Amino acid sequence: MSNPLYDQLFGKHGGQTTPFLVLEDGAVVTHADFLDVAARFAHVLTRAEMSPGDRLAAQVEKSSWALALYAACVQSGIVFLPLNTAYTVDELTYFIEDSGARTLVCDASRKGALAAIGDLPGVRLETLNPDGSGSLADQAESMPTDYPTIGREESDLAALLYTSGTTGRSKGAMLTQGNLLSNTLILAESWRFDARDVLLHVLPIFHTHGLFVATNVTLVAGGSMIFLPRFDLDQVIARLPDATTLMGVPTLYTRLLDAPGFTADLTRDMRLFISGSAPLLAETHARFEKRTGHRILERYGMTETNMNTSNPYDGERRAGTVGFPLPGVELRITDPATGEDVAAGNVGQIEVRGPNVFKGYWQMPEKTAAELRPNGFFITGDIGRVEEDGYVHIVGRNKDVIISGGYNIYPKEIELVLDEQPGVLESAVIGVPHADFGETVLGLIVPDPDVDPDLETIAGAAAASLARFKHPRKLLVVDELPRNTMGKVQKNLLREKYKSLFVPA
Ligand code: MCA
Ligand code: AMP
């Protein structure tokens, strides 16, 4: 039995001694070396009695080793569950308990903090550091470099990725081998990736963008990546001349444009700049073209669906739009109240269907039923319209989410923490425009009558339980929250009122 994802991503180029990763210090990892490490890791996991379908959670720094762990999971049929390195112990505990993960791999420096998770019944704690050391690597050292790849069906789960929810509880999006593979193949073809491509990889590898879009597309094409631990302006400027493609969130592009050292000369050998995860302002698109001569290709995706639409490689890359549905993806615009198609050109909610669309939320059938229709269309929660000539515009969101620097933040999760603090009657969390992150988090607090809330203590409580990127940039005390006749907080009014807090009006 074959393993379609492994065979296509890793199998084809596995024996090659050509570079796969060029690391920060210039060291090169070939395709063959990379797969040797993956096979050793797969042996360790199998000997630890992990079986196909079991979940492995990883909260590890970005490194070639971390990526090999992903490959090991694909090869051994284990479901890979990558976690943001910023998540706190509270957040992590939920993911491990909810997913029933049998193994958590973390950085050695986190082992003490995560000991309580390691004590949960049936959970093993292993360590993997960015230099390749740790308990996983220690066990891998004596393992063989070939591993009998476990057969998988396209409908089998390959990954579980948690996305936050409007109710505050994160949901595990179940992604199958077929979801990942179909999207990878379509993207590689649409964006003309081949073995000569060198992708400058500066995104985290715990999300769809950095892991599945950037990495899978490079792998299937047999290309290579300059694999940097994070986005660092100076390093990007230094490495761009050696690359052919870059994938980034809009913050990356605005930061590049704000750097005087970012010149057209550096981009001479680049063939493609891609943006996604958050809206790219038409102004950024225009500035980028003016500075470099390159037109950024914007695409649109979600954790639950991988990529849905893309601007064309050939043809007009239209600023302010996310292009056309990818081949095999159907996109419709519906009336949120009735679920019926709106008239052509009108605004409505975006729904998508195709082989890219996930299988549902892990052990949450009612949430799955609310968003994934029986006919296969997934209700994205994004609001958009389709132009006469087919270009898709995203004009807003029907879901209460803030996108900050490409990370999705659900206000409810923060409100639940704020509401618990002494002296807080209620709270509202909104996203407001921010020059660097696109949007940032603002917390509004209504105090208990006659109480002067201690904002520092409240901020401290949020910091203890929530990842740094979710912390409100500012907390403000207000007398009351505006409500409609149904009693619902009118966040649109709040967003309007505070829209100039971090950017000039
Ligand atoms: C860092 N901080 C942030 C963010 N990143 N706060 C809010 N939002 C953020 N995105 C915090 C830091 O902890 C730090 O806190 C302070 O803000 C300033 O950090 P700075 O050094 O400026 O940030 P950075 O480390 O340079 O990171 C910014 C970044 C990074 C490069 C934009 O956030 C990033 O790599 N974003 C990409 C996210 C991504 O890959 N999203 C794809 C999701 P302090 O000052 O206290 O230390 S997948 C997806 O959305 C779908 C599927 C799709 O379509 O792709
Ligand atoms: P996530 O839940 O982290 O997978 O983020 C998915 C969301 O990011 C989508 O539902 C959109 O709201 C947003 N998104 C992704 N790409 C784009 C884009 N090119 N333009 C606007 N929003 C985007």
Side-chain angles (χ1 to χ4, degrees):
M1 193 174 150
S2 66
N3 179 320
L5 190 61
Y6 185 85
D7 297 347
Q8 292 278 342
L9 293 188
F10 305 107
K12 282 197 299 191
H13 312 286
Q16 289 176 8
T17 51
T18 49
F20 169 43
L21 302 174
V22 179
L23 306 178
E24 191 180 19
D25 62 3
V28 171
V29 179
T30 66
H31 286 273
D33 292 344
F34 177 79
L35 283 195
D36 283 357
V37 175
R40 287 177 198 255
F41 283 169
H43 276 293
V44 174
L45 301 177
T46 302
R47 289 193 193 186
E49 291 178 6
M50 288 196 78
S51 307
D54 285 348
R55 277 78 57 210
L56 176 141
Q59 189 192 39
V60 286
E61 294 298 329
K62 181 177 174 184
S63 72
S64 61
W65 311 94
L67 205 54
L69 186 58
Y70 160 57
C73 287
V74 177
Q75 191 170 22
S76 57
I78 290 167
V79 178
F80 189 57
L81 194 174
L83 292 162
N84 193 320
T85 45
Y87 286 147
T88 62
V89 177
D90 281 2
E91 289 166 323
L92 228 61
T93 306
Y94 169 76
F95 296 126
I96 302 302
E97 288 186 334
D98 187 70
S99 66
R102 301 223 17 231
T103 300
L104 168 62
V105 184
C106 69
D107 201 277
S109 62
R110 295 274 284 159
K111 200 176 171 197
L114 300 180
I117 297 181
D119 290 341
L120 292 172
V123 180
R124 278 170 81 96
L125 195 57
E126 300 281 1
T127 58
L128 181 64
N129 302 318
D131 63 0
S133 63
S135 65
L136 199 70
D138 289 346
Q139 297 166 71
E141 212 163 306
S142 57
M143 296 291 165
T145 54
D146 56 339
Y147 177 91
T149 303
I150 302 293
R152 296 268 85 189
E153 305 277 355
E154 293 216 345
S155 57
D156 284 325
L157 287 198
L160 192 59
L161 259 60
Y162 275 83
T163 78
S164 298
T166 39
T167 56
R169 266 191 89 200
S170 284
K171 303 167 286 186
M174 298 190 286
L175 294 156
T176 64
Q177 283 225 339
N179 293 149
L180 300 182
L181 184 55
S182 62
N183 213 237
T184 301
L185 294 171
I186 291 291
L187 294 177
E189 192 183 331
S190 303
W191 297 339
R192 311 280 159 82
F193 269 72
D194 70 25
R196 291 164 298 180
D197 270 310
V198 182
L199 183 137
L200 185 51
H201 194 300
V202 293
L203 292 168
I205 53 168
F206 43 69
H207 277 312
T208 294
H209 197 162
L211 186 61
F212 301 140
V213 186
T215 305
N216 284 358
V217 164
T218 304
L219 276 165
V220 84
S224 63
M225 303 195 277
I226 300 173
F227 202 63
L228 302 181
R230 68 191 65 79
F231 175 77
D232 174 277
L233 202 50
D234 293 335
Q235 284 201 50
V236 169
I237 287 177
R239 298 296 189 104
L240 261 179
D242 302 324
T244 63
T245 61
L246 175 73
M247 291 190 194
V249 297
T251 301
L252 263 62
Y253 290 107
T254 50
R255 286 189 182 182
L256 276 174
L257 285 167
D258 289 343
F262 177 61
T263 59
D265 211 33
L266 297 172
T267 68
R268 229 184 13 226
D269 294 331
M270 289 289 288
R271 72 169 183 87
L272 186 58
F273 289 92
I274 300 177
S275 177
S277 307
L280 183 78
L281 296 180
E283 185 221 343
T284 310
H285 196 279
R287 276 176 74 204
F288 199 86
E289 184 175 16
K290 189 155 182 253
R291 177 87 63 92
T292 66
H294 291 276
R295 286 181 75 80
I296 298 174
L297 183 153
E298 186 172 6
R299 59 43 171 197
Y300 157 59
M302 284 186 80
T303 301
E304 289 91 334
T305 63
N306 296 288
M307 299 305 102
N308 295 313
T309 74
S310 170
N311 268 280
Y313 189 82
D314 297 317
E316 186 194 355
R317 298 179 192 166
R318 193 173 294 174
T321 82
V322 292
F324 306 107
L326 285 161
V329 177
E330 292 170 82
L331 183 145
R332 59 198 284 250
I333 308 285
T334 62
D335 179 338
T338 63
E340 298 296 325
D341 287 339
V342 298
N346 282 9
V347 168
Q349 61 184 4
I350 300 177
E351 300 190 21
V352 292
R353 176 164 73 181
N356 54 317
V357 174
F358 76 143
K359 209 172 174 169
Y361 294 113
W362 176 257
Q363 291 180 345
M364 288 187 182
E366 65 304 328
K367 293 232 157 40
T368 303
E371 295 179 38
L372 193 54
R373 295 188 190 280
N375 65 6
F377 272 97
F378 175 66
I379 304 166
T380 62
D382 292 307
I383 300 289
R385 71 183 162 82
V386 182
E387 283 182 11
E388 230 168 64
D389 56 0
Y391 282 86
V392 177
H393 282 256
I394 298 176
V395 299
R397 296 174 210 135
N398 206 12
K399 50 191 175 189
D400 193 15
V401 64
I402 300 165
I403 305 187
S404 166
Y407 287 140
N408 283 20
I409 301 167
Y410 278 82
K412 189 74 194 168
E413 196 183 351
I414 304 167
E415 288 161 0
L416 288 173
V417 175
L418 298 181
D419 289 349
E420 267 178 19
Q421 303 314 310
V424 176
L425 181 65
E426 62 173 348
S427 66
V429 168
I430 56 168
V432 289
H434 188 271
D436 187 28
F437 290 125
E439 291 178 343
T440 196
V441 181
L442 173 66
L444 302 166
I445 305 251
V446 181
D448 280 327
D450 309 321
V451 173
D452 201 6
D454 178 355
L455 294 186
E456 232 170 83
T457 308
I458 296 174
S465 60
L466 300 168
R468 172 71 186 94
F469 67 91
K470 299 177 191 170
H471 299 179
R473 289 263 141 177
K474 202 172 178 62
L475 288 173
L476 292 178
V477 175
V478 296
D479 290 339
E480 59 179 1
L481 300 173
R483 292 183 188 276
N484 65 14
T485 48
M486 309 290 288
K488 197 166 180 266
V489 177
Q490 291 171 299
K491 289 200 169 175
N492 52 332
L493 298 183
L494 293 172
R495 282 191 284 265
E496 182 57 30
K497 182 164 177 191
Y498 295 106
K499 69 179 181 199
S500 308
L501 203 60
F502 294 97
V503 289

